[in-house]
Amino acid sequence: MSDLLRIAIVGYGEIACRQHVPAIAKTSGVALVAVADPVKTPPGLPHFRDLQELLRDGPEIDAVALCTPPQMRHAQAAAALASGKHVLLEKPPGTTLSELTPLITAAQEAGRTLFAAWHSGYAAAVGPARQLLAGRTINKVTIIWKEDVRVWHPGQAWIFEAGGFGVFDPGINALSILTEILPRAVFVRSAALDFPSNREAPIAAEIELSDAGGLPIHAEFDFRQTGSPSWDILCETDAGPVTLSKGGRQLRDGGRLVVDAPDEEYPALYRRFVALTSEGKSDVDLAPLRLVADSFMLGRRRLVEAFED
């Protein structure tokens, strides 16, 4: 393989255009050399209708970034690994926990990297928040993660289909931060999921979680928010409140602003991916996905009014 990690993006939707392409351009040691998408044709790059055509007829590549809806990713990741490619999985990494186990095994057997890209865990304030909380007693955690689906996922019907996660598509970002900043593993105690009468995935959710020490954690996810999004995690501690805002980019310790950084999550993701491929390692953290799966298993289903995009 070349010293330069040659990567192709599969699925050229909004997240690929807005985040992956500029992040790759900012990251040394990696270059975008092709795109596979059934509809969009980016200028200046070789374009293929799907992954199979890319692997058969495309330029030499070392890795793929799978930015397709999660319902498609298992088959695509398996095909890419079988072809000797490293694989970056956009979040969520798949629709089920069980489908990821054989992918982890396949990557190990092929000597290739499989990377579950929990981008919110790489937000600038997450690491400092983890360090700050490590020296304190946490008494309560409240997560408010709400946004307007029409603004952030316009026309993306797959998100409300079975396996599309619904409001857990953004909500899992909060859970990926939660599992990073808390010192102990957490689990779901109960959940209530609001399903529009014409959809197969929830538009809102309320979840109660805890850790082995009984820490109360309350989470509210909602796709029906209008105006500015709310991407906040409040930790009440023995030394006062610690608040993560802006999806993990801003940190306050009481009234003191500790971190207020721009959005640089995806460049950090790609630096991590390049390092993993050079070291021959994988990184597939399943903790956030387990919490979503448990929410569906324990969740009380509530029917709400039909949703039309």
Side-chain angles (χ1 to χ4, degrees), residues 260-304:
D260 191 7
D263 181 2
E264 289 292 322
E265 297 169 17
Y266 278 84
L269 271 183
Y270 273 96
R271 290 193 295 272
R272 174 65 171 158
F273 189 46
V274 171
L276 286 169
T277 58
S278 67
E279 296 166 2
K281 297 180 180 178
S282 290
D283 182 356
V284 187
D285 179 14
L286 297 179
L289 188 58
R290 286 194 188 99
L291 295 177
V292 172
D294 289 351
S295 296
F296 275 97
M297 289 176 69
L298 290 172
R300 181 165 49 89
R301 184 183 179 116
R302 305 185 299 203
L303 281 181
V304 296

Coordinates of all heavy atoms in Angstrom, one line a residue, residues 260-304:
D260 N -14.6 26.8 24.4 CA -15.6 27.2 23.4 C -14.9 27.1 22.1 O -14.2 28.1 21.7 CB -16.1 28.6 23.7 CG -17.3 28.9 22.9 OD1 -17.8 28.1 22.2 OD2 -17.7 30.1 22.9
A261 N -15.0 26.0 21.4 CA -14.2 25.7 20.2 C -15.0 25.5 19.0 O -16.2 25.2 19.1 CB -13.3 24.4 20.5
P262 N -14.4 25.7 17.8 CA -15.1 25.5 16.6 C -15.3 24.0 16.3 O -14.8 23.1 17.1 CB -14.2 26.1 15.5 CG -12.9 26.0 16.1 CD -13.1 26.2 17.6
D263 N -16.1 23.7 15.3 CA -16.4 22.3 15.0 C -15.2 21.7 14.3 O -15.0 22.0 13.1 CB -17.7 22.2 14.1 CG -18.1 20.8 13.8 OD1 -17.4 19.8 14.2 OD2 -19.1 20.6 13.0
E264 N -14.5 20.8 15.0 CA -13.3 20.1 14.4 C -13.4 18.7 14.6 O -12.3 18.0 14.7 CB -12.0 20.8 14.9 CG -11.7 22.2 14.4 CD -11.4 22.2 12.9 OE1 -10.7 21.2 12.4 OE2 -11.8 23.1 12.2
E265 N -14.6 18.1 14.8 CA -14.7 16.7 15.2 C -14.2 15.8 14.1 O -13.5 14.8 14.3 CB -16.2 16.4 15.5 CG -16.8 17.1 16.6 CD -18.3 17.0 16.7 OE1 -18.8 16.1 16.1 OE2 -18.9 17.8 17.4
Y266 N -14.6 16.1 12.8 CA -14.3 15.1 11.7 C -12.8 15.1 11.4 O -12.2 14.1 11.1 CB -15.2 15.4 10.5 CG -16.5 14.7 10.7 CD1 -17.6 15.3 11.4 CD2 -16.8 13.5 10.2 CE1 -18.8 14.7 11.6 CE2 -18.0 12.8 10.3 CZ -19.0 13.4 11.0 OH -20.2 12.8 11.2
P267 N -12.1 16.3 11.4 CA -10.6 16.2 11.2 C -10.0 15.3 12.3 O -9.1 14.6 12.0 CB -10.2 17.7 11.3 CG -11.3 18.4 10.8 CD -12.6 17.7 11.3
A268 N -10.5 15.4 13.5 CA -10.0 14.6 14.6 C -10.3 13.1 14.3 O -9.4 12.2 14.6 CB -10.5 15.0 15.9
L269 N -11.5 12.8 13.8 CA -11.8 11.5 13.4 C -10.8 10.9 12.4 O -10.4 9.8 12.5 CB -13.2 11.4 12.8 CG -14.4 11.2 13.7 CD1 -15.7 11.1 12.8 CD2 -14.3 10.0 14.5
Y270 N -10.6 11.7 11.4 CA -9.7 11.2 10.3 C -8.2 11.1 10.8 O -7.5 10.2 10.3 CB -9.8 12.0 9.0 CG -11.0 11.6 8.2 CD1 -12.2 12.1 8.3 CD2 -10.8 10.5 7.3 CE1 -13.3 11.7 7.5 CE2 -11.9 10.0 6.6 CZ -13.1 10.6 6.7 OH -14.1 10.1 5.9
R271 N -7.8 11.9 11.7 CA -6.5 11.7 12.2 C -6.4 10.4 13.0 O -5.4 9.6 12.9 CB -6.1 12.9 13.2 CG -5.8 14.2 12.4 CD -5.2 15.2 13.4 NE -6.0 15.6 14.5 CZ -6.9 16.6 14.4 NH1 -7.0 17.3 13.3 NH2 -7.6 17.0 15.5
R272 N -7.5 10.1 13.7 CA -7.5 8.8 14.4 C -7.6 7.6 13.4 O -6.9 6.6 13.6 CB -8.8 8.8 15.3 CG -9.1 7.5 16.0 CD -8.1 7.1 17.0 NE -8.5 5.9 17.8 CZ -7.7 5.1 18.4 NH1 -6.4 5.3 18.4 NH2 -8.1 4.1 19.1
F273 N -8.3 7.8 12.3 CA -8.4 6.7 11.3 C -7.1 6.4 10.7 O -6.7 5.3 10.5 CB -9.5 7.1 10.3 CG -9.8 6.0 9.3 CD1 -10.1 4.7 9.8 CD2 -9.9 6.2 8.0 CE1 -10.4 3.7 8.9 CE2 -10.2 5.2 7.1 CZ -10.5 4.0 7.5
V274 N -6.4 7.5 10.3 CA -5.0 7.3 9.7 C -4.1 6.6 10.7 O -3.3 5.7 10.3 CB -4.5 8.7 9.3 CG1 -3.0 8.6 8.9 CG2 -5.3 9.3 8.1
A275 N -4.2 7.0 12.0 CA -3.3 6.4 13.0 C -3.6 4.9 13.1 O -2.7 4.1 13.2 CB -3.4 7.1 14.3
L276 N -4.9 4.6 13.2 CA -5.3 3.2 13.3 C -4.8 2.3 12.2 O -4.4 1.2 12.4 CB -6.8 3.1 13.4 CG -7.5 3.6 14.8 CD1 -9.0 3.7 14.6 CD2 -7.1 2.6 15.9
T277 N -5.0 2.8 10.9 CA -4.6 2.1 9.8 C -3.1 1.9 9.8 O -2.6 0.8 9.4 CB -5.0 2.7 8.5 OG1 -4.5 4.0 8.4 CG2 -6.5 2.8 8.4
S278 N -2.3 2.9 10.2 CA -0.9 2.7 10.2 C -0.4 1.7 11.3 O 0.6 1.1 11.2 CB -0.2 4.1 10.4 OG -0.5 4.6 11.7
E279 N -1.2 1.6 12.4 CA -0.9 0.7 13.5 C -1.5 -0.7 13.3 O -1.2 -1.6 14.1 CB -1.4 1.3 14.8 CG -0.7 2.6 15.1 CD -1.4 3.4 16.3 OE1 -2.4 2.8 16.8 OE2 -1.0 4.5 16.6
G280 N -2.4 -0.8 12.3 CA -3.0 -2.1 12.1 C -4.0 -2.5 13.1 O -4.2 -3.6 13.5
K281 N -4.7 -1.5 13.7 CA -5.7 -1.7 14.8 C -7.1 -1.3 14.3 O -7.3 -0.5 13.4 CB -5.3 -0.9 16.0 CG -3.9 -1.2 16.6 CD -3.6 -0.4 17.8 CE -2.3 -0.7 18.4 NZ -1.9 0.1 19.6
S282 N -8.1 -1.8 15.1 CA -9.5 -1.4 14.9 C -10.0 -0.7 16.2 O -9.4 -0.8 17.3 CB -10.4 -2.6 14.6 OG -10.1 -3.1 13.3
D283 N -11.1 0.0 16.0 CA -11.7 0.7 17.2 C -13.2 0.7 16.9 O -13.7 1.5 16.1 CB -11.1 2.2 17.3 CG -11.7 2.9 18.5 OD1 -12.6 2.4 19.2 OD2 -11.3 4.1 18.7
V284 N -13.9 -0.2 17.6 CA -15.3 -0.3 17.4 C -16.0 -0.3 18.8 O -16.2 -1.4 19.4 CB -15.7 -1.6 16.6 CG1 -17.2 -1.6 16.3 CG2 -14.9 -1.7 15.3
D285 N -16.3 0.8 19.3 CA -16.9 1.0 20.6 C -18.4 0.8 20.4 O -19.1 1.5 19.7 CB -16.6 2.4 21.1 CG -17.3 2.6 22.5 OD1 -17.7 1.7 23.1 OD2 -17.4 3.8 22.9
L286 N -18.9 -0.2 21.1 CA -20.3 -0.6 20.9 C -21.2 0.0 22.0 O -22.5 -0.2 22.0 CB -20.5 -2.1 20.9 CG -19.8 -2.8 19.7 CD1 -20.1 -4.3 19.8 CD2 -20.3 -2.3 18.4
A287 N -20.6 0.7 23.0 CA -21.4 1.1 24.2 C -22.6 2.0 23.8 O -23.7 1.8 24.3 CB -20.5 1.8 25.2
P288 N -22.4 3.1 22.9 CA -23.5 3.9 22.6 C -24.7 3.1 21.9 O -25.8 3.4 22.2 CB -22.9 5.0 21.6 CG -21.5 5.0 22.0 CD -21.1 3.6 22.3
L289 N -24.3 2.2 21.0 CA -25.3 1.4 20.3 C -26.0 0.5 21.2 O -27.3 0.3 21.1 CB -24.6 0.6 19.2 CG -25.6 -0.1 18.2 CD1 -26.5 0.9 17.5 CD2 -24.8 -0.9 17.1
R290 N -25.4 -0.1 22.2 CA -26.0 -0.9 23.2 C -27.1 -0.1 24.0 O -28.2 -0.6 24.2 CB -25.0 -1.4 24.3 CG -24.1 -2.5 23.7 CD -23.4 -3.2 24.9 NE -22.4 -4.2 24.4 CZ -21.1 -3.9 24.3 NH1 -20.6 -2.7 24.7 NH2 -20.2 -4.8 23.8
L291 N -26.8 1.1 24.3 CA -27.8 1.9 25.0 C -29.0 2.2 24.2 O -30.2 2.2 24.7 CB -27.2 3.3 25.5 CG -26.1 3.1 26.5 CD1 -25.5 4.5 26.8 CD2 -26.6 2.4 27.8
V292 N -28.8 2.4 22.9 CA -30.0 2.6 22.0 C -30.8 1.3 21.9 O -32.0 1.3 22.0 CB -29.5 3.0 20.6 CG1 -30.7 3.0 19.6 CG2 -28.9 4.4 20.6
A293 N -30.1 0.2 21.7 CA -30.8 -1.1 21.6 C -31.6 -1.4 22.9 O -32.7 -1.9 22.8 CB -29.7 -2.2 21.4
D294 N -31.0 -1.1 24.0 CA -31.7 -1.3 25.3 C -32.9 -0.4 25.4 O -33.9 -0.8 26.0 CB -30.7 -1.1 26.5 CG -29.7 -2.2 26.6 OD1 -29.8 -3.2 25.9 OD2 -28.8 -2.1 27.4
S295 N -32.8 0.8 24.9 CA -33.9 1.7 24.9 C -35.1 1.2 24.1 O -36.3 1.3 24.5 CB -33.5 3.1 24.4 OG -32.5 3.7 25.2
F296 N -34.8 0.6 23.0 CA -35.8 0.0 22.2 C -36.4 -1.3 22.9 O -37.6 -1.5 22.8 CB -35.3 -0.4 20.8 CG -35.3 0.7 19.8 CD1 -34.2 1.5 19.5 CD2 -36.5 1.0 19.1 CE1 -34.2 2.5 18.6 CE2 -36.6 2.0 18.2 CZ -35.4 2.8 17.9
M297 N -35.5 -2.0 23.5 CA -36.0 -3.2 24.2 C -36.9 -2.9 25.4 O -37.9 -3.6 25.6 CB -34.8 -4.1 24.7 CG -34.0 -4.7 23.6 SD -32.6 -5.6 24.2 CE -33.4 -7.0 25.1
L298 N -36.6 -1.9 26.1 CA -37.3 -1.5 27.3 C -38.4 -0.5 27.1 O -39.2 -0.2 27.9 CB -36.3 -1.0 28.4 CG -35.4 -2.0 29.1 CD1 -34.4 -1.3 30.0 CD2 -36.2 -3.0 29.9
G299 N -38.3 0.2 25.9 CA -39.1 1.3 25.7 C -40.6 1.1 25.6 O -41.1 0.1 25.0
R300 N -41.4 1.9 26.3 CA -42.8 1.9 26.2 C -43.2 2.8 25.0 O -42.8 3.9 24.9 CB -43.4 2.5 27.5 CG -44.9 2.6 27.5 CD -45.3 2.8 29.0 NE -44.6 4.0 29.6 CZ -45.0 5.2 29.5 NH1 -46.1 5.5 28.8 NH2 -44.3 6.2 30.1
R301 N -43.9 2.2 24.1 CA -44.2 2.8 22.8 C -45.5 3.7 22.9 O -46.5 3.2 23.4 CB -44.5 1.7 21.7 CG -44.7 2.3 20.3 CD -45.0 1.2 19.3 NE -45.3 1.7 18.0 CZ -44.6 1.4 16.9 NH1 -43.5 0.7 17.1 NH2 -44.9 1.9 15.8
R302 N -45.4 5.0 22.5 CA -46.5 5.9 22.6 C -46.7 6.4 21.2 O -45.8 6.9 20.5 CB -46.2 7.1 23.5 CG -45.8 6.6 24.9 CD -45.6 7.8 25.9 NE -44.5 8.7 25.5 CZ -43.9 9.5 26.3 NH1 -44.3 9.6 27.6 NH2 -43.0 10.3 25.9
L303 N -47.9 6.2 20.7 CA -48.3 6.7 19.3 C -48.6 8.2 19.4 O -49.3 8.7 20.3 CB -49.5 6.0 18.8 CG -49.2 4.6 18.2 CD1 -50.5 4.0 17.6 CD2 -48.2 4.7 17.0
V304 N -48.0 9.0 18.5 CA -48.3 10.4 18.4 C -48.8 10.8 17.0 O -48.8 9.9 16.1 CB -47.0 11.3 18.8 CG1 -46.7 11.0 20.2 CG2 -45.9 11.0 17.9

